């Protein structure tokens, strides 16, 4: 499975961005999907996840109420709508796919990763 992210960029605090991830080369519609981020000097961390059916979503506490993950299985895409962005959201954002049955989306350990897209939020 190949994952390609798009939609990153530079935005002022309080602004919005929409990230997209296009999946190809496999049955990604059967996979749980997620977004992770890695800020400079920090480990890559879970941001948001969505189940294979789209029926369940979960988020890290710091983005709840501001970020929304969604998927279009017919188009094999996953999106992350990010509103009210803060400087601490600055990071490289990675799309990820997990083939495993999960009891919790927050415990996702992806089998596939995209190359990432930079999001920079200025104060």
């Amino acid at each position: 499975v190949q994952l390609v992210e798009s939609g990153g960029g530079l935005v002022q605090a309080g602004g919005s961005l929409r990230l997209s991830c296009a999946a190809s080369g496999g049955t990604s519609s059967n996979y749980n999907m997620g977004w992770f981020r890695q800020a400079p000097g920090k480990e890559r961390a879970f941001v948001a996840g969505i189940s294979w059916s789209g029926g369940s979503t979960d988020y890290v506490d710091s983005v709840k109420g501001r970020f929304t993950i969604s998927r279009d299985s017919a188009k094999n895409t996953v999106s992350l709508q990010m509103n009210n962005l803060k400087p601490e959201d600055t990071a490289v954002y990675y799309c990820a796919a997990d083939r495993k049955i999960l009891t919790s989306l927050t415990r996702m350990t992806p089998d596939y990763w995209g190359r990432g897209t930079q999001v920079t939020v200025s104060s």
Side-chain angles (χ1 to χ4, degrees):
V1 174
Q2 291 78 47
L3 305 174
V4 179
E5 304 94 338
S6 61
L10 173 64
V11 65
Q12 289 187 333
S16 298
L17 282 175
R18 185 176 181 86
L19 304 183
S20 294
C21 173
S24 61
T27 54
S28 59
S29 59
N30 294 334
Y31 300 163
N32 301 300
M33 302 293 292
W35 289 93
F36 288 68
R37 67 186 178 187
Q38 187 168 18
K42 295 187 177 181
E43 294 186 352
R44 193 175 300 187
F46 173 85
V47 175
I50 187 166
S51 62
W52 67 271
S53 68
S56 296
T57 59
D58 209 347
Y59 303 87
V60 65
D61 286 346
S62 60
V63 308
K64 285 182 179 178
R66 300 189 297 123
F67 291 12
T68 303
I69 188 171
S70 59
R71 69 188 300 165
D72 185 334
S73 295
K75 297 182 178 179
N76 287 331
T77 60
V78 178
S79 298
L80 185 68
Q81 177 67 41
M82 306 186 294
N83 298 328
N84 189 22
L85 282 160
K86 303 177 180 181
E88 51 263 42
D89 294 319
T90 295
V92 177
Y93 283 71
Y94 297 88
C95 179
D98 193 322
R99 299 176 298 177
K100 300 175 288 294
I101 297 174
L102 299 174
T103 57
S104 171
L105 289 167
T106 62
R107 297 185 177 183
M108 185 179 298
T109 53
D111 301 289
Y112 306 100
W113 293 94
R115 292 188 174 185
T117 185
Q118 177 70 46
V119 171
T120 303
V121 184
S122 64
S123 58

